[in-house]
Amino acid sequence: MTQEGLISCPLCHENNLKTYLTIKDMDILRCCSCGMMFQDPGKIPAQGENDYIKSYVIKNGEELKLKTAIEERERLKHIRRFMGGDLRLKKVLELGAGEGILANLLIQNGAAYTGIEPSSLMYELAIKNFPNLKNNLINTPFDKGTFEKDYFDAVLLIDVFEHIPEPLNFLKKIKFCLKQDGILYIEVPNENFLKFKGFLRNKIGLYGGYPTHPAHVNLFTNKTLRKIFEFAGMIPIAIFQLTVWGNKQRLRLALKNQLPKGLCSASVFLRLTKLDLILGQGNLVVAAKK
C-alpha cells in the first residue's frame, strides 16, 4: 500500500513510501527513495510504557539495577575511548537518562554531567536510585534553547534516537549545543533484515509479537544511519556494532528472566563466531563530530 500524500520520510522528506511490514496494529513504512524504515508517529501502537515501568522496572528495581550496571560499565569504556580517556570536568549531556546508572558512573568519573529524562516515572526512579543526581537531572523534553551554543564536550543518546519522530531536526538541535571538537555518541538497534529479526523476536517472546519495540518510531540500518548524519552535516568518526544475541546479560534484561538452555547455548555460539554481527544483527554505535 502506498502512503502517498499522507506523510513523508523523516530522513529525506520524500513521500515515495510503501508499507514494508504490517503485524497486529503496527504498520512499518519504507521510503523507496532512501531506504528509511519508520512508523507513522500518529499510529504508534498502544504499548503501555508507563505500565511497563511500573510493573517491571520499578518492581524489579534492585535486581535490574545490578544487571544494567554491568552493561553501563562496558558502555562507559566506549565513551571514554572516544573522549580521550579522561572525563574529568568534561561537560556531558545525556538525553534519556533512564534509571540513572550511566549518569552516576559518569559523575564518579569526574564528568560535569547534565541529564534530561522526559518521563516523570523514570526521572523519579533515577533520583530514588541515586539521590546525588537531583541537581544534575532535568525532567523535561530536550530543546536546543535550553543550552548555550557550543557548550557540551559530549552528548549521549543510548536507546533513545529510535524514539524520536523527527530525527534529522533532533540531530541539528544537538549540533547546536555540541562543541566543535565534541563527540555525539549514539546507540540504536540495527533493524537490518527486520522481517527475519521480527521472526526471531517472536519465537523467543520478545515485544509481545511485534517485530520491533512498539515505541520505536524510526528503524535504522547502517545505511540510513550514515545518511542521516550526512543530511545533518555531521561526520561519523566510527560506526560499529555491539552484539545483542551474543550477550547473555543483555538478553536477560530484554527477556526479563533467565535464558532457556537452547538460547543460552546459541548466545555463546554467536559471541564466539560473531555471526550475528556479520549478518548485521547487533546494536549500531555511532561516534560523530560536527
Side-chain angles (χ1 to χ4, degrees), residues 147-159:
F147 304 107
E148 299 174 21
K149 182 176 173 59
D150 302 327
Y151 183 78
F152 288 103
D153 295 291
V155 179
L156 315 177
L157 285 86
I158 315 297
D159 295 324

Side-chain angles (χ1 to χ4, degrees), residues 86-103:
D86 189 357
L87 300 181
R88 285 175 297 179
L89 302 181
K90 294 287 181 68
K91 296 174 183 174
V92 177
L93 173 64
E94 183 184 18
L95 302 178
E99 298 99 316
I101 297 169
L102 181 59

Side-chain angles (χ1 to χ4, degrees), residues 49-50 52-65 68 97-101 103-104 117-134 137 139:
E49 192 72 17
N50 284 345
Y52 166 75
I53 294 170
K54 290 176 181 176
S55 64
Y56 178 63
V57 177
I58 294 177
K59 183 179 177 182
N60 300 283
E62 287 305 312
E63 180 186 2
L64 191 61
K65 191 164 65 171
T68 307
E99 298 99 316
I101 297 169
N104 188 56
E117 177 48 64
S119 164
S120 296
L121 285 174
M122 292 305 292
Y123 170 80
E124 290 168 6
L125 180 60
I127 298 300
K128 180 181 178 182
N129 286 338
F130 305 101
N132 60 306
L133 294 180
K134 192 166 186 180
L137 200 56
N139 180 209

Side-chain angles (χ1 to χ4, degrees), residues 230-245:
E230 178 187 340
F231 287 10
M234 298 190 75
I235 304 168
I237 59 172
I239 297 182
F240 58 97
Q241 290 186 94
L242 296 175
T243 185
V244 176
W245 298 96

Side-chain angles (χ1 to χ4, degrees), residues 33-247:
S33 299
C34 70
M36 183 70 185
M37 295 185 296
F38 64 101
Q39 293 191 70
D40 180 349
K43 297 181 180 179
I44 301 295
Q47 29 75 34
E49 192 72 17
N50 284 345
D51 290 340
Y52 166 75
I53 294 170
K54 290 176 181 176
S55 64
Y56 178 63
V57 177
I58 294 177
K59 183 179 177 182
N60 300 283
E62 287 305 312
E63 180 186 2
L64 191 61
K65 191 164 65 171
L66 289 172
K67 289 179 178 178
T68 307
I70 298 172
E71 285 293 302
E72 298 294 17
R73 281 195 291 270
E74 288 300 311
R75 181 170 287 126
L76 183 65
K77 292 178 184 178
H78 296 296
I79 294 169
R80 287 175 63 99
R81 175 160 61 94
F82 290 116
M83 295 186 67
D86 189 357
L87 300 181
R88 285 175 297 179
L89 302 181
K90 294 287 181 68
K91 296 174 183 174
V92 177
L93 173 64
E94 183 184 18
L95 302 178
E99 298 99 316
I101 297 169
L102 181 59
N104 188 56
L105 288 173
L106 288 163
I107 290 172
Q108 287 179 357
N109 279 265
Y113 174 88
T114 302
I116 285 185
E117 177 48 64
S119 164
S120 296
L121 285 174
M122 292 305 292
Y123 170 80
E124 290 168 6
L125 180 60
I127 298 300
K128 180 181 178 182
N129 286 338
F130 305 101
N132 60 306
L133 294 180
K134 192 166 186 180
N135 294 326
N136 303 83
L137 200 56
I138 308 168
N139 180 209
T140 183
F142 170 64
D143 188 89
K144 73 176 185 180
T146 308
F147 304 107
E148 299 174 21
K149 182 176 173 59
D150 302 327
Y151 183 78
F152 288 103
D153 295 291
V155 179
L156 315 177
L157 285 86
I158 315 297
D159 295 324
V160 169
F161 199 42
E162 63 271 25
H163 293 268
I164 306 301
E166 297 183 9
L168 185 56
N169 289 337
F170 198 78
L171 274 188
K172 291 177 179 178
K173 290 179 182 179
I174 292 172
K175 187 178 176 183
F176 173 85
C177 63
L178 187 66
K179 287 183 179 178
Q180 192 61 42
D181 60 347
I183 291 290
L184 170 60
Y185 180 93
I186 289 181
E187 287 188 29
V188 295
N190 185 354
E191 299 292 17
N192 194 29
F193 303 121
L194 180 59
K195 291 179 181 179
F196 170 69
K197 182 177 278 187
F199 172 80
L200 289 179
R201 287 166 169 166
N202 182 266
K203 286 298 181 183
I204 66 173
L206 192 61
Y207 301 145
Y210 290 112
T212 188
H213 192 294
H216 290 181
V217 183
N218 297 298
L219 311 175
F220 293 103
T221 64
N222 189 307
K223 178 183 175 182
T224 54
L225 201 55
R226 286 180 182 274
K227 281 187 176 181
I228 200 164
F229 278 96
E230 178 187 340
F231 287 10
M234 298 190 75
I235 304 168
I237 59 172
I239 297 182
F240 58 97
Q241 290 186 94
L242 296 175
T243 185
V244 176
W245 298 96
N247 185 330

